[in-house]
Amino acid sequence: PPSQLSIGPPGDRLTVKGGLRGYRMARASHGVDGGSYFYEVIVQEPENMETTPMKEFQLPSTNLRLGEELKKDIILSDNTHVPKAGHLRMGWSMRTGDLQAPVGYDRWSYGLRDIMGSRIHASRREDRWGGVPFGPGDVIGFAIHLQPLQSSAFGSIMNASNPLNTNAIHNDYDAQGPASKKKKRGSGGGHKNVEFINHIRFFKNGKTMGSGFVSSRGVRSGGEAFSGIEDGVYCPAVSSYMGGCVRANFGPHFVYPIPPSQLPTGMKLRPMSSRCPNPMTPEEAIERAMKEKSITKKTDESLVTAFKAAIRIEAKYKYDAREEFMKRHVEEIRKERQARKMNTNDLPVPVVDTVVATNTCSEGSKEGAASGEDVEMKDATNTL
């Protein structure tokens, strides 16, 4: 039978493609419980349904209940309705979000819909909040801000009464005032103390979605998709169906880095990749292991040597995999930007490995023995 959801390719695990039997969700392996974080997805061309066997998935027209926008996205054939490929709902989800449903289906996830750029939470959809539609070739960004769990009860109260929070005050500057309204000399602008309630933001090709920003006393605020979201651990989440396909990018480099002009004053985003610490070098790993293990002067030297060798092999395996991944990551971002005629000067300069042998000098590249990505996607039916 057709797969509900696929994640690949092997050794990469950053591309998510939907199946043919409705939405299924994939969540990232790492989540956020505090701070401001960001990831993006590159929307890929969907599967060509004209060449896909659709016999099992054709439904009589009398059984379909579709909105006006979806009716435009239908091919009529022999009194049957065949949906065109490639629909997406993406955003953030807690671990308790239903994997057998789209992002935004329940109270544990918040989603953005490809059609009309609708925002969805707890199965409540809002089409006219300031979102814009997107499709293949677009890069969609997702930002989240969470206060430390002990100090963000305000968010839970607001969300319980109004999940979409269409009338909520945008941040703590409007609600309570910043910790210090007056600029201090030598403070670099006086905006370091601006605080925000829990919220989520969406971006298309580096531009923020939503109703725009409001400036007051030099402080820019607003532009959230969801404000006052509940406390918890939120993971990047993607759901698709009918062959909808995206490639996730958790950083540290992005196709469309979000400039300060597209964020409220004082907000700085960290890449989701920073949630997974970089592996230690073999020397660092050996030093830490020697400190943590009870190895005394009386320990047999051969055992110490064997222990260090084992630590070195494992650490080198992880470190080399990470280095190989970073090379692929940088080059992928470089190609995506070049295809869009964007600046690449902020990316690391490519490094070419060379192998020198007797009487020869040839370029070579070391293949990673394992996937080195910081964050990977997990599908709806398996823990991968």
Side-chain angles (χ1 to χ4, degrees), residues 300-321:
D300 189 278
E301 186 64 28
S302 62
L303 293 178
V304 175
T305 301
F307 175 73
K308 289 183 178 180
I311 296 297
R312 180 180 297 278
I313 291 173
E314 181 179 358
K316 188 176 187 304
Y317 179 88
K318 294 179 179 180
Y319 185 82
D320 288 351

Side-chain angles (χ1 to χ4, degrees), residues 14-16 39-46 88 90 134-142 205 238 244-250 253-256 329 332-337 339-340:
L14 293 175
T15 299
V16 179
Y39 78 99
E40 67 182 12
V41 301
I42 305 168
V43 182
Q44 309 291 302
E45 287 288 344
L88 301 162
M90 306 177 289
F134 56 88
D138 289 324
V139 178
I140 309 302
F142 304 87
N205 299 331
V238 171
C245 184
V246 300
R247 182 161 176 79
N249 176 23
F250 301 112
H253 304 288
F254 295 101
V255 178
Y256 284 96
H329 170 66
E332 180 178 351
I333 300 303
R334 192 187 312 279
K335 290 179 181 179
E336 291 289 346
R337 289 196 193 174
R340 294 167 172 79

Side-chain angles (χ1 to χ4, degrees), residues 93-171:
S93 173
M94 294 188 193
R95 297 292 185 187
T96 45
D98 191 347
L99 292 172
Q100 304 296 326
V103 180
Y105 169 76
D106 50 34
R107 63 178 293 190
W108 313 115
S109 62
Y110 299 80
L112 176 70
R113 179 176 176 242
D114 63 322
I115 300 176
M116 300 180 69
S118 307
R119 62 181 182 182
I120 305 175
H121 172 64
S123 293
R124 292 179 56 188
R125 191 184 86 210
E126 185 176 349
D127 298 331
R128 296 177 176 84
W129 69 279
V132 292
F134 56 88
D138 289 324
V139 178
I140 309 302
F142 304 87
I144 190 169
H145 173 82
L146 296 172
Q147 292 183 343
L149 292 178
Q150 67 272 18
S151 62
S152 56
F154 180 55
S156 298
I157 295 173
M158 294 178 67
N159 189 75
S161 60
N162 186 4
L164 291 178
N165 206 27
T166 54
N167 300 314
I169 296 174
H170 288 299
N171 60 41

Side-chain angles (χ1 to χ4, degrees), residues 36-323:
S36 301
Y37 288 87
F38 176 80
Y39 78 99
E40 67 182 12
V41 301
I42 305 168
V43 182
Q44 309 291 302
E45 287 288 344
E47 186 173 343
N48 184 357
M49 287 300 164
E50 294 180 1
T51 61
T52 301
M54 294 294 296
K55 185 175 181 180
E56 296 182 46
F57 310 104
Q58 292 180 346
L59 300 173
S61 58
T62 55
N63 290 343
L64 291 180
R65 299 177 60 187
L66 302 171
E68 292 301 319
E69 291 298 321
L70 275 177
K71 288 179 181 178
K72 299 176 184 178
D73 198 25
I74 294 295
I75 301 174
L76 298 179
S77 174
D78 300 329
N79 199 34
T80 58
H81 287 229
V82 181
K84 288 185 179 179
H87 290 295
L88 301 162
R89 298 188 186 186
M90 306 177 289
W92 298 88
S93 173
M94 294 188 193
R95 297 292 185 187
T96 45
D98 191 347
L99 292 172
Q100 304 296 326
V103 180
Y105 169 76
D106 50 34
R107 63 178 293 190
W108 313 115
S109 62
Y110 299 80
L112 176 70
R113 179 176 176 242
D114 63 322
I115 300 176
M116 300 180 69
S118 307
R119 62 181 182 182
I120 305 175
H121 172 64
S123 293
R124 292 179 56 188
R125 191 184 86 210
E126 185 176 349
D127 298 331
R128 296 177 176 84
W129 69 279
V132 292
F134 56 88
D138 289 324
V139 178
I140 309 302
F142 304 87
I144 190 169
H145 173 82
L146 296 172
Q147 292 183 343
L149 292 178
Q150 67 272 18
S151 62
S152 56
F154 180 55
S156 298
I157 295 173
M158 294 178 67
N159 189 75
S161 60
N162 186 4
L164 291 178
N165 206 27
T166 54
N167 300 314
I169 296 174
H170 288 299
N171 60 41
D172 281 352
Y173 180 85
D174 295 320
Q176 302 171 346
S180 176
K181 294 183 179 180
K182 296 182 180 180
K183 295 182 180 181
K184 298 180 181 179
R185 295 181 180 179
S187 64
H191 298 318
K192 293 182 179 180
N193 294 321
V194 175
E195 296 182 357
F196 309 93
I197 61 172
N198 295 352
H199 69 269
I200 287 172
R201 299 173 179 274
F202 299 136
F203 305 83
K204 177 182 176 180
N205 299 331
K207 303 294 184 181
T208 187
M209 296 188 191
S211 57
F213 293 108
V214 176
S215 295
S216 176
R217 299 181 183 180
V219 176
R220 184 174 57 253
S221 62
E224 299 93 333
F226 299 98
S227 292
I229 66 175
E230 293 195 37
D231 299 328
V233 178
Y234 288 85
C235 302
V238 171
S239 59
S240 68
Y241 94 111
M242 300 304 291
C245 184
V246 300
R247 182 161 176 79
N249 176 23
F250 301 112
H253 304 288
F254 295 101
V255 178
Y256 284 96
I258 305 302
S261 62
Q262 298 298 312
L263 294 170
T265 301
M267 186 175 186
K268 295 183 179 180
L269 300 176
R270 303 174 188 174
M272 272 302 299
S273 60
S274 65
R275 296 297 294 169
C276 183
N278 292 338
M280 294 180 287
T281 64
E283 290 72 22
E284 292 171 339
I286 291 173
E287 182 179 358
R288 173 174 291 187
M290 294 298 290
K291 290 180 179 179
E292 293 179 351
K293 299 298 181 180
S294 300
I295 298 178
T296 65
K297 294 181 179 180
K298 296 182 179 180
T299 304
D300 189 278
E301 186 64 28
S302 62
L303 293 178
V304 175
T305 301
F307 175 73
K308 289 183 178 180
I311 296 297
R312 180 180 297 278
I313 291 173
E314 181 179 358
K316 188 176 187 304
Y317 179 88
K318 294 179 179 180
Y319 185 82
D320 288 351
R322 166 67 176 172
E323 291 296 297

